[in-house]
Amino acid sequence: MSDAIVLTEATLADLPELQALVHGAYRGDSARRGWTHEADLLDGQRIDRPSLEAALADPAQLILLAKQNGDLAGCVQITDRGDGLAYLGMLSVDPARQAGGLGRRLVAAAEAAARTRFGARRMEMTVIIQRVELIAWYERLGYGRTGETRPFPATDPRFGLPRRDDLAFTVLIRHLAAESA
């Protein structure tokens, strides 16, 4: 049996498994098996089904799935923000599969999709400022801090329930190289 990773676009049929993957990678005790979790910062859900359904219905959004041996191993969401800017979000890797290069592969696939599907020249993301190790990982991938911060939606339970009152996002950006011929 092959251990090859297959990248596909998410469909409505993928949503139960996708929602479980994202929650398990970010929240609760299962997330603590990996290094990228938010379990010490937030309780509650990471994503809800209506948000996932809306993303799939929106032509300015794309969710890529990484499957290994038929199992969902990771995902990433790309959103066209217009004017050559795309947003990278919801990068999730099954905690048991973290630190094996899948996250890097998903970021590269997201950047390629942003260029080809949306004509993006820049990729932006936001990361909770307290997630120092994750910010450093993105910096190693070529993302730089812009100096901009954005408030965390602390009063909207769709994004989780903060365990502290000082959560905020830092904005990171990367200029995307043109595809080589």
Side-chain angles (χ1 to χ4, degrees):
M1 187 176 262
S2 171
D3 287 336
I5 299 292
V6 177
L7 297 176
T8 63
E9 293 185 21
T11 67
L12 287 173
D14 297 309
L15 292 190
E17 191 178 14
L18 176 59
Q19 186 176 5
L21 169 80
V22 173
H23 181 78
Y26 283 92
R27 306 283 162 77
D29 289 335
S30 66
R32 285 181 167 73
R33 293 182 303 159
W35 68 272
T36 64
H37 67 83
E38 300 171 340
D40 297 327
L41 300 173
L42 294 153
D43 290 320
Q45 68 182 12
R46 170 58 174 80
I47 190 77
D48 63 10
R49 187 172 174 116
S51 296
L52 290 170
E53 290 171 352
L56 291 183
D58 183 351
Q61 296 190 55
L62 171 66
I63 299 173
L64 295 177
L65 305 179
K67 294 189 177 186
Q68 186 173 28
N69 299 326
D71 295 328
L72 185 58
C75 69
V76 66
Q77 181 177 10
I78 308 103
T79 304
D80 181 14
R81 295 276 170 95
D83 196 28
L85 179 67
Y87 183 85
L88 185 147
M90 205 170 66
L91 178 63
S92 306
V93 174
D94 176 350
R97 291 178 166 103
Q98 290 180 10
L102 182 55
R104 286 179 185 272
R105 184 163 175 193
L106 282 164
V107 170
E111 291 171 352
R115 279 191 307 269
T116 58
R117 183 166 294 192
F118 302 129
R121 298 177 309 278
R122 299 174 324 281
M123 182 75 87
E124 176 185 81
M125 71 176 69
T126 56
V127 181
I128 296 173
I129 59 174
Q130 288 82 1
R131 299 188 68 201
V132 177
E133 297 88 1
L134 184 58
I135 293 168
W137 184 78
Y138 282 119
E139 288 174 328
R140 289 191 300 275
L141 295 182
Y143 286 82
R145 297 180 209 208
T146 65
E148 178 185 357
T149 59
R150 296 180 186 160
F152 184 86
T155 59
D156 189 339
R158 290 180 305 153
F159 300 99
L161 306 169
R163 299 181 80 180
R164 49 194 289 176
D165 61 6
D166 63 344
L167 298 181
F169 293 110
T170 187
V171 179
L172 300 132
I173 197 160
R174 179 169 186 214
H175 293 275
L176 303 177
E179 289 265 29
S180 55

